[in-house]
Amino acid sequence: MSDFRNTVPALLASTFNRRVGLAVLFASAVAITGLVAPKESFAEDKKSIKVGIISGEDEDVWRVVTAQAAEKGLKIETVVFNDYTQPNEALERGEIDANAFQHQPYLDNQIKTQGYHIVRVGYTGVWPIGLYSKKYTKVADLPEGAVIGVPNDPSNEGRALRVLQNEGVIKLKDGTGILATTADIAENAKKVVIKELDAGIVGRSVEDLDAAVVNTDWALKSGLTPENRIAQEPIADNPYRNFIAVKAGSENEPWVKTLVASYQNDKVKAEFDKVYKGTGLSAY
C-alpha cells in the first residue's frame, strides 16, 4: 500500500509536467507564428520593385523618380531595354514589376497579338511624332516618288501614316482606324514609296531617305533636331500619351500609388523638360 501511495503522486506529477511542457511548446509555436505573420504582410506590400524603361534620356528622368520614391520608402531598380518588345515580355513573365515606355494603342495591339495581362496605372509624357528630312525643308518640296521611312510596328505605323495624311502626302481609306497600314492607302498622288523600318532604325536612316516619320525619343537618339522636322502630329487630344504599366491584378497595390506619385511631381517634370528640351511634354 505504501508503494502505491507513493507511486500515484509521482504519476500525477509526471502527467502534469508533460502537460505543462506541451503547453509551453504550443505557446512557443504561437509566438513564432506571430513573429512570421508580419513578414508575409510585408511581402504583399512591396518595398523594392523593378521598373523597365528604354535606354537613353529616360534613364536621367528615372534617376530623379528613383530618388523621389526612396523618400517615400520605395526602392526602385530600373531595368534598361533597347527595344519596344522586351519590356512587356519581361512584365508578363514577372521579371519586372512595372514598365514605362508605351502608349495605349501600342499596348492594345500587344494585348491582342500576345495575350498580355497588362494595365495602365499613370501617365508620364507625350512625344509628338514628326516627319524629318535632311534634304528638304518643307513637305511641299518632297518630289514625286520620294522614299519615306515609317516605323513598322502596327500602332506607330498607323500613327506615321496619319501624319502623312494630315500633310496631304497620302489619303487613307475612309473609316481606317489608328492601326492603319500601307494597305489602307487610298490615294498617293505623289507616288511616294513607303519604307517600313524598325522604330529604332528609321531615325538613323534619314540620311538615306527623302524623309522619315520618327518617334521623338528615337529622333533624339539619332541626332535629329527640330530643324530637321518638317511636320508634326497635333498635340491636342493626342491618344499617344505614354504611361506606367503593371501586371493586371497589381494595379491597386499600395506600391503602385507610390510609384505613380514618385513620377508625377514638379521635380521629375523639371528633369523631364531639361532632358527632352521641349520635344516631349509631361502628360498627367
Side-chain angles (χ1 to χ4, degrees):
M1 289 292 291
S2 60
D3 291 341
F4 178 75
R5 284 197 298 269
N6 291 334
T7 302
V8 168
L11 288 171
L12 290 173
S14 176
T15 301
F16 175 78
N17 289 337
R18 285 200 300 272
R19 287 179 178 175
V20 170
L22 288 172
V24 171
L25 183 61
F26 177 76
S28 299
V30 170
I32 292 170
T33 302
L35 291 172
V36 172
K39 189 173 183 180
E40 293 173 352
S41 176
F42 177 85
E44 292 174 3
D45 184 12
K46 285 178 179 288
K47 298 296 181 183
S48 179
I49 62 170
K50 293 182 179 181
V51 180
I53 63 173
I54 299 296
S55 63
E57 292 76 15
D58 229 23
E59 293 179 74
D60 293 329
V61 175
W62 275 88
R63 271 189 277 273
V64 180
V65 179
T66 298
Q68 292 293 296
E71 293 180 6
K72 298 175 173 63
L74 178 66
K75 180 182 177 182
I76 295 177
E77 177 187 342
T78 54
V79 179
V80 180
F81 296 96
N82 294 311
D83 69 60
Y84 288 155
T85 61
Q86 296 180 58
N88 279 339
E89 291 178 6
L91 181 55
E92 183 70 18
R93 290 195 298 262
E95 295 170 2
I96 57 177
D97 301 286
N99 64 39
F101 77 102
Q102 64 194 321
H103 48 64
Q104 195 64 50
Y106 181 82
L107 176 58
D108 288 345
N109 184 68
Q110 288 274 287
I111 291 172
K112 180 180 178 181
T113 59
Q114 304 297 326
Y116 292 148
H117 306 85
I118 297 172
V119 296
R120 179 185 72 239
V121 292
Y123 286 111
T124 55
V126 61
W127 289 261
I129 202 167
L131 178 63
Y132 294 81
S133 178
K134 289 192 174 182
K135 298 177 181 177
Y136 306 98
T137 57
K138 295 184 296 184
V139 176
D141 293 338
L142 290 173
E144 184 171 322
V147 180
I148 302 176
V150 300
N152 64 1
D153 61 277
S155 61
N156 283 311
E157 180 171 4
R159 190 179 181 186
L161 294 177
R162 289 193 175 280
V163 171
L164 297 179
Q165 176 173 254
N166 291 341
E167 296 300 321
V169 177
I170 61 171
K171 184 177 179 181
L172 297 171
K173 297 174 184 176
D174 292 339
T176 300
I178 59 175
L179 299 180
T181 69
T182 53
D184 296 307
I185 297 175
E187 296 180 20
N188 184 357
K190 281 192 171 183
K191 297 181 176 61
V192 298
V193 177
I194 306 295
K195 192 167 186 177
E196 299 164 304
L197 299 167
D198 181 87
I201 295 175
V202 65
R204 296 194 293 270
S205 302
V206 171
E207 297 275 5
D208 303 317
L209 303 166
D210 291 300
V213 184
V214 187
N215 292 75
T216 302
D217 52 342
W218 286 115
L220 287 172
K221 292 178 177 65
S222 303
L224 298 171
T225 68
E227 288 70 35
N228 302 133
R229 189 171 58 223
I230 60 176
Q232 179 176 285
E233 71 182 357
I235 295 175
D237 301 319
N238 194 306
Y240 298 102
R241 288 182 291 172
N242 280 24
F243 50 76
I244 297 168
V246 300
K247 193 82 174 286
S250 299
E251 59 267 37
N252 295 318
E253 295 290 336
W255 64 267
V256 174
K257 183 177 180 180
T258 302
L259 172 60
V260 173
S262 298
Y263 193 104
Q264 296 180 351
N265 59 72
D266 290 341
K267 287 187 177 180
V268 173
K269 184 181 184 304
E271 182 66 18
F272 184 100
D273 292 343
K274 174 185 174 183
V275 167
Y276 287 104
K277 303 173 183 176
T279 56
L281 305 169
S282 294
Y284 45 86

